[in-house]
Amino acid sequence: MYRLLIVDDEEIITDSLYETFARHIPEQLDVCKAYSATEALSWMQRSRIDIVLTDIRMPGMSGLELTERIQASWPNCRVIFLTGHSDFDYAYQAFQMANVRYLLKTEGYDKVMSVVEDVMEEIRQSHSMVELLEHSHKVNSQLALIQQKEYLRKLLQDCTAVIDSTMHMQDELSKRDIRLQINSPVYLILGRFNNLPEKGSDLTQVQESVRIIGSSLMNERTVCASVTDHYGDTIWLLQPKQEEEMTNDKLVRFLEGTLELVQEACMVSLGVSIAFSLSSRSCNWSELTKQYERLRLLQWMKIGDGVSMVLTDHRNDLSSDVPKESMRISNRIEIMSGYLETGRIQPFYDIFEELAGELMQQDITMERAMETYYNLALLLHSTINRWGLQQKIPDQRSLLHLGEYTCMKDAVQFLYRAADELVRYKRSNEQERANVVIHSLCSYVKENLEKDLSLVRLAELHHFNPSYLSRFFKQEMGINVSEFIDDCRIRKAKELLQNTNLMVREVALQVGYEAAHSFTRLFKKITGMTPQEYRESLLVR
């Protein structure tokens, strides 16, 4: 989408042109309006303008003066002069300017719209840059280019290992045709593909083309060098041209607007969508690696949904309460660990989802996100190792390497998968342990009916609290321990009454009753008959 700014001190003309163009092709043209040259310049400071449709004669500052100011900041901006004065001198001056056209108001709206569409097509064609790309590919010396790239990659990876003396490094830059100055700070820009080129495309060629497009547009106001890093991202190192008197904020605005043009050009020429992040402040060469890593983290945290964004790294965004927040994170991690170890799954997930949700917030600082993520990842990683689950989660090492993920969303999803695996193991392990305990307890009861089977004694044998054992047994078996013991005693008593000639008193002793009348009372309560009646009923059959 292109941006059109309409400028005229006659409000009726400005408003009618604005309404006409706003309805004409809204999906291709974003229309703005200004009633003076001063207001127009304010627009130019706020956003990139692609086409300016302006009156030549206006009070205060003429259209010609406005154009000179515009082209000083945005050299690629097109200007269409619209005036009711067919003054030859004005027209002559207009034609001397680059990217300028001249129209009379008497030519009508249809003509004006036609000219604007022609200018849009010119811009579209300039974004294609096919000839520029072909020429650059032929001219560049392949060997020199490789040497330049490798040197820049080493600088980004570990600038302290490359930088020795200022003079020597300047010689190294010059030797590789890198026109940056070691005694001046440098700005960084990082570009990352949102979509990979279509199958059959040469990825290296596309990456090279992106570098050429970006460098050609930014060369208007800066000196730059670019390289594709080891991750496939495109990096630009920039300095303002020495003849340019630009404040930091003005340069950053220029870069932000230019990167939008780069995105448009890459989509038109190459069919690829690119997201950019740039440093809002220049950095010393000794800080290059640190700034590069910050941009990579910013790109990684904020981009992952396929949107072509231009993000600016504002380094003064650290809150004053970080130590307090850090302590709060570690406290929550410790509580989570306790919940997981004791099998309190829902409270564990409550805190986990709270922290994971913070990672996905748009306003979270980079430092806060890193601390939160690594606290969670370290908890999961250490638990996996302690429980011996390395085989169940073979890619657990990825937890501690954020660079292996495309974006924060993917990293958080892996945290969830690891947490879910731990919870499944905990639950299955608890169930397995429960099965072992219950099986052991039941076997002991069946084999020792004549012994002390009080709840206290059974709890001692299985290292449980008596109250907990009672609840645990009921939860797993559906009946009380005492009911299970009584059932086992009656089953054993029936076997003895049927298969032996033991007296009722002797049967009672073997199933744990010293008093025969107590045994008889229980037997009748459960079976509906006394032990003797039960034995006699077997004889009748």
Side-chain angles (χ1 to χ4, degrees), residues 118-270:
D118 290 344
V119 171
M120 289 171 60
E121 183 59 30
E122 285 180 9
I123 298 173
R124 196 174 291 114
Q125 290 296 327
S126 70
H127 287 172
S128 180
M129 298 188 178
V130 175
E131 293 182 4
L132 171 65
L133 299 180
E134 292 177 349
H135 177 71
S136 296
H137 294 319
K138 292 177 183 178
V139 170
N140 284 330
S141 165
Q142 202 64 25
L143 179 59
L145 196 58
I146 291 173
Q147 291 176 340
Q148 184 186 92
K149 290 176 182 177
E150 284 306 310
Y151 188 75
L152 290 174
R153 289 192 187 105
K154 288 178 182 178
L155 269 175
L156 293 171
Q157 193 168 4
D158 187 0
C159 58
T160 56
V162 178
I163 299 173
D164 43 20
S165 69
T166 301
M167 185 178 297
H168 179 263
M169 185 173 174
Q170 189 64 63
D171 290 341
E172 291 295 316
L173 293 176
S174 301
K175 186 192 305 181
R176 292 166 175 80
D177 196 28
I178 300 173
R179 296 181 297 120
L180 299 171
Q181 299 299 311
I182 189 63
N183 56 358
S184 297
V186 64
Y187 290 81
L188 260 67
I189 294 175
L190 184 148
R192 176 171 295 173
F193 289 120
N194 284 321
N195 64 317
L196 291 175
E198 296 180 0
K199 291 183 178 179
S201 300
D202 184 341
L203 178 59
T204 303
Q205 186 69 32
V206 173
Q207 291 171 332
E208 183 74 8
S209 299
V210 169
R211 294 198 310 107
I212 294 169
I213 290 173
S215 298
S216 66
L217 290 173
M218 287 185 279
N219 274 338
E220 293 284 349
R221 310 297 296 276
T222 69
V223 176
C224 63
S226 61
V227 66
T228 301
D229 67 8
H230 295 292
Y231 302 95
D233 297 333
T234 304
I235 313 297
W236 283 269
L237 287 71
L238 308 101
Q239 292 172 338
K241 288 184 175 179
Q242 293 181 354
E243 62 270 18
E244 298 283 350
E245 294 183 3
M246 300 184 73
T247 64
N248 182 84
D249 292 343
K250 188 175 181 181
L251 177 60
V252 170
R253 282 199 304 273
F254 168 76
L255 293 175
E256 288 172 341
T258 302
L259 290 175
E260 291 181 12
L261 294 176
V262 175
Q263 287 172 332
E264 180 74 21
C266 289
M267 180 58 71
V268 171
S269 304
L270 308 171

Side-chain angles (χ1 to χ4, degrees), residues 22-84:
R23 293 194 304 266
H24 183 46
I25 40 176
E27 71 284 354
Q28 298 181 40
L29 201 60
D30 180 21
V31 186
C32 312
K33 60 182 178 179
Y35 300 112
S36 68
T38 302
E39 188 179 353
L41 289 175
S42 176
W43 272 107
M44 302 298 292
Q45 292 175 351
R46 291 165 55 192
S47 177
R48 187 196 84 249
I49 302 295
D50 301 293
I51 308 170
V52 174
L53 181 61
T54 180
D55 191 1
I56 279 189
R57 290 189 178 181
M58 291 184 291
M61 184 187 301
S62 71
L64 294 172
E65 293 172 300
L66 172 62
T67 301
E68 290 176 352
R69 295 280 294 276
I70 290 173
Q71 292 185 337
S73 298
W74 300 100
N76 293 310
C77 181
R78 266 65 169 181
V79 177
I80 303 172
F81 286 121
L82 186 64
T83 181

Side-chain angles (χ1 to χ4, degrees), residues 347-382:
F348 165 79
Y349 269 131
D350 288 343
I351 300 178
F352 180 88
E353 290 178 353
E354 179 184 338
L355 291 171
E358 289 179 11
L359 287 173
M360 300 308 295
Q361 293 176 0
Q362 290 297 317
D363 57 350
I364 188 171
T365 64
M366 198 181 308
E367 289 75 11
R368 168 76 175 190
M370 294 303 99
E371 182 180 10
T372 301
Y373 175 85
Y374 277 115
N375 268 280
L376 282 171
L378 191 59
L379 166 64
L380 299 176
H381 189 272
S382 61

Side-chain angles (χ1 to χ4, degrees), residues 442-456:
C442 291
S443 296
Y444 180 84
V445 168
K446 291 175 183 179
E447 295 169 6
N448 298 277
L449 290 172
E450 75 283 5
K451 296 181 180 179
D452 178 12
L453 296 180
S454 65
L455 190 60
V456 172

